[in-house]
Amino acid sequence: MNQKINQHIAYLMKEKGVNLIISQAKDSNGFVIPHFILSENDIISSVIAINEMRNFFAYLNKQEIKSFKSIGIVCNYFGVKTFFQLKFENQLKDLELFLLIPTDDDFIEITSEKQAEDYLSGLKQSTILVDEELENVKKMSMEERWNYWMKTLELCTKCYACRAACPMCYCSSCTTECNIPQWIPVPASLHGIFEWHVMRAMHLAGRCTECDECVKVCPANIPLNILNKGLHNKISEAFSSDDSSIKYALNFFQPDEKVDFIK
Amino acid sequence: MLNKQIHYSNQQLQSWVDGLIYKGKTVIGPVKKNGVTCFSEIKNFNELILNERTVYSAKEVVLPKYDILFKFAKEKDKVFISKNENSLNNVIVIGLRPCDNEGFDYLRLFFKSDPDILQKLNTFISVTIACEKKFDGCFCEELGIDKNYSNKTDVLIKTSENGYDIYFNDRGNEILSPQASDVKPAEIKKPVPNVSIDNKVAYLKKLSEQYNSEKWKIVSMGCLGCGSCAFVCPTCTCFDVQDEGNTQNGQRLICWDACGMGLFTKHASGHNPRPSQVERRRHRIMHKFVYTQDTEGKISCVGCGRCIAACPAHLNIYNQALQILQ
Amino acid sequence: MEDFEPKLAAFVCNWCTYAGADLTGTSRMKYPSNVRILRFPCTGRIDFMLVMKAFDSGVDGLIVSGCHPNDCHYTSGNFHAQRRWVVFKEVLDIMGFDTRRIFFTWVSAAEGAKWAKVVTDAVEELKKLGPYSEFKKILLKKLQFPLDNKTADREIKTEPVIS
């Protein structure tokens, strides 16, 4: 991270009592990895482009990390979006968070919901690549789409990396772990895989921040962002064109809503 | 023991593989599916991807991600059980790497009392390709595995000038069926006792002294608790037994399980002896480098580096072990 | 498919459609017997996973029905359900699942005739579509009776163990 951020991290640790900073670094193979700063000696300078940066908010779901209470996170646009959504869902109650967003040779610090909202309203991340893929899938006929997904899902081993890396998957006990009844078949057969991905997409509908962590961590390259983006589009089209109200999607309704396919 | 040698040109290698498929053998090799290299049955030589490390290891051939043990069905007052018998007769696995062979060697030790899996492990014929270069994150040489040679395979392919040098044993002879005039006796490579490796293995065993070290907290910080490392590992054997179906019919399956997941050790009472990622990560590292030294007589990490590539945080299991020992 | 009789399940709410279906019966109106009715407290209770479970257990189609908007016994259950179905239908659509086989309707307790029509139409539609073999293909194959060589897999040896 750049000089100014590193100086600020040192300041946070010394003056503000922050005892953990989740920063980002590149390892020898070029992967972007989390870099945990526990003391000032751990501070390193590294260069990662802002669009290469990952969203490490999933670590806040770990009890061991939560116990640090006062945590700094180096993130980009999607991190702020995640912060905003998690705040809305009352998940960051006991935590004091410092978001550090690097810019060219400076940084932005965000600590409150208000600041996050201001930051997000001024920016709009483009998602052209996903849009194109989604368009391609939507153009297919039903049979083609089914075959396309069966082919892509075939390699899934149900390692649940998509669940582990997702900052919104914070449930302490997942539906897949429930066995009375067994909602999701345990074996990684096409059937079990299909139901898992349907369930994952449904439970993230209207909450997904589109950081694409699930795609980045999937060993089987499954384009889960197509599903996420498709649902995002559907929700904003069907319920409200205003992006900010999407956070209410499935636990809120308008009495005058009409749905054409329910006869 | 690879005691014979033959030389193939590029063309000959291709026609040999295509010939095997034509003869009705099941040939499994690394192919690209959905942008991911993995082991799968091939229909012709050109499908093979021989210059990449596969994302998923070759253990899938023997231990698929889910496998049916038996099926059951009830009719009136009778219950029928039908055992699933799938053997690996006629199966040739091509494109293995020396580390994959070490992995299979470990599986043979681990499953020594399971006749079904042991039989599977001993039936298929393995064709190994020597690695010319290191792949991202590989550390097999650190653990004493020769990336250029493996004596645990039936056929070994090495790139040489204008073609390939192929070393094989009697089982390899069956599938190669070379003309007697082409075959040369191969120089038998005697295992050289490697003191530095023995020292390293003994050094890694000292991890058990660090069982209560505070450093485990630091190395486990990056672990998110998914199962990707275990599912791509050539030596991870843990599975879960599941019954699928209803009261009338169904099946018993074995499905992969991973020690990184919280549910792995959770008791029915709700108690979890490994309550957090600290204990789970420690168990994984200790199991790979320490515990199997006692139970199977060797460390079970083969240094293929697949887990490093698959891990969401790209944790390096070997570096972490060394970090603990420092 | 002339002689194909589709298996049809119906998830209905206790307060409206279940009573509506009851009215259909007491009014002596005829409708196909393919439908198996499952009673739920409210459409808001119908988790999308229950829809998946219905297809797992081998139905060819599914009717999901409850009170008309603003008529919910629990005030807002059907509004929540409505939003859920919009999203769920989109997931299934993107994944190429045949959503023509899921029939969403509102049937009130007074609409006995509508219920008969909904079921008749659904069965007719399903007869046109045929059995949902695409989905059944991904389910794990079960042992089928009679256990002769034709139905059992070749590798499978069958022996009675308890008799």
Side-chain angles (χ1 to χ4, degrees):
Chain A
M1 294 294 115
N2 66 41
Q3 196 63 38
K4 279 202 173 155
I5 280 206
N6 283 347
Q7 276 169 8
H8 191 69
I9 288 173
Y11 163 77
L12 283 177
M13 300 199 94
K14 214 185 277 168
E15 308 291 334
K16 287 285 178 89
V18 177
N19 36 28
L20 173 70
I21 306 273
I22 305 173
S23 178
Q24 320 204 355
K26 260 190 189 168
D27 72 356
S28 53
N29 299 321
F31 298 125
V32 178
I33 55 165
H35 176 67
F36 298 96
I37 300 172
L38 290 158
S39 72
E40 284 173 50
N41 305 333
D42 297 335
I43 298 175
I44 52 160
S45 49
S46 58
V47 185
I48 302 167
I50 188 109
N51 51 357
E52 259 186 90
M53 281 173 66
R54 290 179 52 188
N55 183 0
F56 288 130
F57 269 74
Y59 284 105
L60 296 183
N61 302 335
K62 282 179 71 177
Q63 214 51 51
E64 303 98 287
I65 303 267
K66 254 187 196 161
S67 62
F68 281 93
K69 298 285 183 220
S70 189
I71 303 166
I73 297 190
V74 178
C75 62
N76 62 3
Y77 171 84
F78 295 110
V80 184
K81 223 173 152 187
T82 312
F83 171 75
F84 191 65
Q85 183 71 27
L86 284 173
K87 270 270 186 207
F88 170 73
E89 293 178 17
N90 281 328
Q91 291 304 310
L92 304 171
K93 262 183 292 184
D94 310 328
L95 293 176
E96 194 189 0
L97 281 185
F98 298 86
L99 274 65
L100 305 168
I101 302 120
T103 54
D104 289 336
D105 51 359
D106 205 351
F107 70 94
I108 301 166
E109 187 185 26
I110 287 174
T111 51
S112 72
E113 228 174 327
K114 179 82 189 61
Q115 283 171 320
E117 202 168 359
D118 290 346
Y119 175 83
L120 291 174
S121 62
L123 274 168
K124 199 99 187 153
Q125 203 76 13
S126 79
T127 49
I128 300 163
L129 269 175
V130 197
D131 289 340
E132 265 175 28
E133 285 177 50
L134 178 64
E135 199 73 358
N136 287 340
V137 173
K138 286 207 149 184
K139 257 187 249 162
M140 298 175 193
S141 72
M142 195 185 70
E143 286 80 16
E144 280 172 339
R145 244 176 291 154
W146 179 258
N147 293 337
Y148 165 81
W149 279 105
M150 287 306 122
K151 230 178 98 194
T152 16
L153 294 181
E154 187 192 8
L155 287 173
C156 176
T157 51
K158 290 228 251 174
C159 67
Y160 297 127
C162 44
R163 179 182 76 183
C166 179
M168 299 328 261
C169 276
Y170 51 67
C171 298
S172 54
S173 168
C174 182
T175 311
T176 51
E177 287 161 11
C178 169
N179 52 9
I180 307 170
Q182 185 73 59
W183 288 114
I184 312 281
V186 181
S189 61
L190 273 177
H191 177 216
I193 298 165
F194 175 78
E195 291 205 354
W196 157 245
H197 286 293
V198 166
M199 193 209 79
R200 199 199 64 86
M202 272 304 283
H203 284 180
L204 285 172
R207 308 167 56 232
C208 174
T209 54
E210 295 170 325
C211 63
D212 289 0
E213 266 311 281
C214 47
V215 184
K216 285 175 198 162
V217 302
C218 181
N221 261 359
I222 299 171
L224 294 170
N225 50 358
I226 294 181
L227 274 176
N228 296 340
K229 184 71 191 169
L231 291 195
H232 178 92
N233 288 354
K234 186 73 193 178
I235 286 167
S236 40
E237 170 206 312
F239 304 138
S240 162
S241 55
D242 181 14
D243 232 13
S244 65
S245 66
I246 280 180
K247 61 188 180 192
Y248 295 110
L250 289 187
N251 55 3
F252 188 73
F253 65 90
Q254 298 285 354
D256 54 347
E257 265 166 13
K258 283 277 172 295
V259 178
D260 54 351
F261 65 83
I262 306 184
K263 299 276 159 34
Chain B
M1 203 49 89
L2 306 174
N3 51 7
K4 280 170 247 168
Q5 186 187 349
I6 190 173
H7 186 85
Y8 270 178
S9 66
N10 287 347
Q11 192 56 44
Q12 275 172 314
L13 187 77
Q14 179 169 353
S15 50
W16 169 57
V17 174
D18 284 338
L20 287 173
I21 298 164
Y22 181 75
K23 273 186 243 164
K25 304 264 188 203
T26 310
V27 180
I28 295 172
V31 294
K32 259 224 153 69
K33 271 187 183 176
N34 184 25
V36 175
T37 18
C38 61
F39 281 88
S40 182
E41 195 181 332
I42 57 162
K43 287 279 164 266
N44 71 62
F45 180 82
N46 295 329
E47 284 175 46
L48 284 176
I49 309 281
L50 295 177
N51 53 359
E52 273 179 47
R53 177 182 62 202
T54 53
V55 173
Y56 293 110
S57 69
K59 79 169 171 189
E60 267 186 287
V61 176
V62 179
L63 289 171
K65 53 186 179 180
Y66 72 95
D67 204 3
I68 295 164
L69 286 175
F70 61 78
K71 299 187 181 190
F72 60 88
K74 202 173 146 195
E75 195 187 40
K76 287 170 195 158
D77 55 347
K78 283 182 186 166
V79 177
F80 293 90
I81 289 179
S82 81
K83 208 178 155 196
N84 206 15
E85 284 173 5
N86 41 2
S87 71
L88 292 178
N89 279 333
N90 257 341
V91 172
I92 295 158
V93 186
I94 197 166
L96 296 167
R97 300 285 170 179
C99 54
D100 288 320
N101 276 305
E102 287 294 325
F104 282 130
D105 198 45
Y106 171 78
L107 294 185
R108 277 183 203 110
L109 289 171
F110 184 83
F111 286 111
K112 53 186 175 285
S113 49
D114 186 324
D116 287 353
I117 295 178
L118 199 62
Q119 205 215 341
K120 273 195 197 177
L121 277 163
N122 289 331
T123 18
F124 74 88
I125 294 174
S126 53
V127 179
T128 305
I129 296 178
C131 293
E132 278 164 55
K133 60 172 174 64
K134 263 181 73 179
F135 295 107
D136 282 354
C138 282
F139 53 92
C140 59
E141 281 172 323
E142 307 263 337
L143 300 172
I145 294 163
D146 189 348
K147 67 176 166 51
N148 271 313
Y149 183 78
S150 174
N151 56 6
K152 283 146 190 165
T153 177
D154 300 316
V155 179
L156 177 73
I157 301 176
K158 263 189 181 181
T159 329
S160 72
E161 279 173 51
N162 55 49
Y164 301 94
D165 281 337
I166 296 178
Y167 302 84
F168 55 95
N169 61 9
D170 296 343
R171 267 155 62 96
N173 196 33
E174 280 171 36
I175 56 162
L176 282 160
S177 49
Q179 289 183 341
S181 54
D182 297 340
V183 180
K184 289 183 284 185
E187 276 182 39
I188 294 166
K189 201 172 162 181
K190 291 218 174 79
V192 190
N194 192 332
V195 183
S196 68
I197 294 302
D198 291 345
N199 286 345
K200 187 166 272 167
V201 170
Y203 179 58
L204 284 167
K205 201 167 182 193
K206 287 202 183 116
L207 274 172
S208 54
E209 292 163 21
Q210 302 294 326
Y211 189 82
N212 293 319
S213 166
E214 281 294 305
K215 284 183 191 163
W216 293 111
K217 279 190 185 147
I218 295 164
V219 298
S220 69
M221 266 185 148
C223 181
L224 281 163
C226 70
S228 52
C229 50
F231 291 176
V232 300
C233 179
T235 62
C236 267
T237 47
C238 289
F239 57 78
D240 187 13
V241 177
Q242 287 288 335
D243 287 340
E244 281 275 304
N246 49 37
T247 50
Q248 291 307 306
N249 56 15
Q251 49 248 313
R252 177 160 292 177
L253 308 142
I254 52 175
C255 317
W256 283 354
D257 206 348
C259 56
M261 292 178 182
L263 207 62
F264 185 73
T265 44
K266 198 171 180 182
H267 295 179
S269 66
H271 169 67
N272 198 340
R274 286 183 213 140
S276 70
Q277 272 340 103
V278 182
E279 291 83 8
R280 290 169 206 150
R281 187 74 191 159
R282 175 175 68 196
H283 176 81
R284 182 168 179 80
I285 296 175
M286 294 282 266
H287 186 270
K288 289 288 166 210
F289 294 116
V290 182
Y291 300 156
T292 54
Q293 283 197 44
D294 297 332
T295 53
E296 328 295 341
K298 61 190 271 184
I299 56 172
S300 56
C301 179
V302 296
C304 64
R306 285 187 176 95
C307 56
I308 302 170
C311 178
H314 304 290
L315 301 178
N316 189 322
I317 188 168
Y318 182 62
N319 285 355
Q320 288 196 334
L322 295 184
Q323 195 185 331
I324 297 284
L325 283 167
Q326 253 170 27
Chain C
M1 287 240 175
E2 272 307 302
D3 51 352
F4 166 63
E5 284 298 335
K7 235 189 210 180
L8 177 66
F11 289 176
V12 301
C13 103
N14 180 36
W15 303 99
C16 289
T17 311
Y18 193 76
D22 200 27
L23 181 66
T24 323
T26 44
S27 330
R28 307 267 176 222
M29 273 182 265
K30 276 204 170 142
Y31 63 94
S33 59
N34 303 50
V35 67
R36 292 131 168 96
I37 296 176
L38 287 99
R39 181 164 63 151
F40 285 72
C42 177
T43 33
R45 168 67 183 86
I46 307 173
D47 193 297
F48 61 90
M49 281 314 291
L50 291 166
V51 176
M52 296 313 301
K53 286 286 143 218
F55 281 95
D56 293 358
S57 46
V59 300
D60 300 301
L62 181 70
I63 296 172
V64 179
S65 180
C67 313
H68 284 273
N70 292 322
D71 283 354
C72 181
H73 186 79
Y74 307 101
T75 325
S76 61
N78 53 3
F79 281 116
H80 286 296
Q82 184 168 284
R83 278 207 165 191
R84 193 182 307 143
W85 299 134
V86 171
V87 178
F88 186 49
K89 192 165 173 286
E90 182 70 8
V91 182
L92 295 182
D93 272 337
I94 294 177
M95 299 208 65
F97 188 92
D98 195 347
T99 43
R100 289 172 300 179
R101 293 168 185 278
I102 311 180
F103 306 89
F104 298 101
T105 53
W106 305 131
V107 175
S108 81
E111 293 176 320
K114 185 178 177 184
W115 175 251
K117 191 177 175 304
V118 164
V119 177
T120 321
D121 288 356
V123 171
E124 222 166 80
E125 175 79 11
L126 287 175
K127 277 191 175 165
K128 245 184 270 164
L129 292 171
Y132 198 6
S133 46
E134 284 285 275
F135 188 75
K136 280 171 191 161
K137 245 183 254 166
I138 67 168
L139 303 177
L140 292 176
K141 258 196 225 141
K142 292 192 170 124
L143 275 188
Q144 295 285 337
F145 288 106
L147 294 164
D148 60 355
N149 290 340
K150 273 178 198 164
T151 46
D153 284 336
R154 263 187 294 131
E155 304 94 22
I156 290 173
K157 223 191 274 167
T158 311
E159 52 194 40
V161 285
I162 307 166
S163 55

